[in-house]
């Protein structure tokens, strides 16, 4: 079980009691936003690295197009992965373990912090 699976099920269990029908959508959205923000951070880091190494691999518009396509792919991958039988199997595994005890507000703050770090790195480069 990956870190993203654990975060998904924490969000799913938290919102299942409050918003039963939307819990899966909220958890899928959160995992996708977190993965996309981490991908953006890596992209900005490598863009700055390649710029300092004087390597011209692709233009900025092509890089943004590639990022958007990968973000759409990540959403559909997460939607397929956490929408069906696999989610039920993973949910049964996580219930056997002890209850997750992450603070939901800190988890919502995590993608915002990653995006802030991305902005700082982008300005530095």
């Amino acid at each position: 079980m990956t870190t993203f699976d654990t975060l998904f099920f924490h969000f799913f269990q938290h919102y299942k009691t409050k918003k039963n029908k939307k819990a899966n959508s909220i958890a899928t959205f959160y995992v996708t936003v977190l993965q996309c923000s981490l991908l953006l951070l890596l992209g900005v880091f490598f863009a700055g690295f390649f710029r300092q190494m004087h390597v011209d691999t692709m233009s900025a518009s092509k890089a943004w197009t590639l990022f958007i396509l990968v973000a759409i792919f990540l959403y559909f991958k997460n939607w397929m992965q956490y929408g069906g039988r696999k989610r039920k199997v993973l949910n049964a595994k996580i219930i056997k373990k002890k209850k997750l005890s992450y603070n939901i507000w800190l988890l919502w703050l995590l993608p915002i912090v990653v995006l802030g770090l991305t902005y700082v790195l982008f300005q530095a480069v």
Side-chain angles (χ1 to χ4, degrees), residues 23-35:
N24 196 28
S25 299
I26 293 170
T28 303
F29 174 75
Y30 172 77
V31 169
T32 304
V33 167
L34 182 62
Q35 288 174 343

Side-chain angles (χ1 to χ4, degrees), residues 7 9 19 29 55-56 59 61 71 76-77 100 103 115 117:
L7 291 174
F9 285 112
K19 301 176 188 213
F29 174 75
V55 176
D56 293 328
S59 66
S61 62
F76 283 115
K77 179 192 75 79
L100 300 172
N103 187 350
L115 288 174
L117 184 61

Side-chain angles (χ1 to χ4, degrees), residues 13-104:
Q13 289 172 356
H14 178 78
Y15 285 108
K16 189 173 183 179
T17 58
K18 296 178 182 178
K19 301 176 188 213
N20 190 14
K21 294 183 180 181
K22 296 286 183 181
N24 196 28
S25 299
I26 293 170
T28 303
F29 174 75
Y30 172 77
V31 169
T32 304
V33 167
L34 182 62
Q35 288 174 343
C36 288
S37 62
L38 289 172
L39 179 70
L40 185 63
L41 179 65
L42 282 174
V44 167
F45 172 77
F46 282 118
F49 176 75
F50 288 146
R51 186 176 300 142
Q52 287 188 358
M53 296 298 289
H54 302 292
V55 176
D56 293 328
T57 55
M58 73 173 61
S59 66
S61 62
K62 288 181 183 178
W64 281 111
T65 304
L66 182 64
F67 173 74
I68 291 169
L69 290 174
V70 170
I72 292 169
F73 171 76
L74 281 173
Y75 177 76
F76 283 115
K77 179 192 75 79
N78 290 334
W79 178 63
M80 293 291 286
Q81 181 176 0
Y82 299 125
R85 184 174 179 201
K86 185 174 181 181
R87 178 190 56 132
K88 292 179 183 177
V89 170
L90 288 173
N91 196 17
K93 286 182 182 178
I94 205 125
I95 287 175
K96 289 181 182 178
K97 294 181 182 178
K98 70 176 199 176
K99 182 139 172 100
L100 300 172
S101 61
Y102 299 126
N103 187 350
I104 198 75

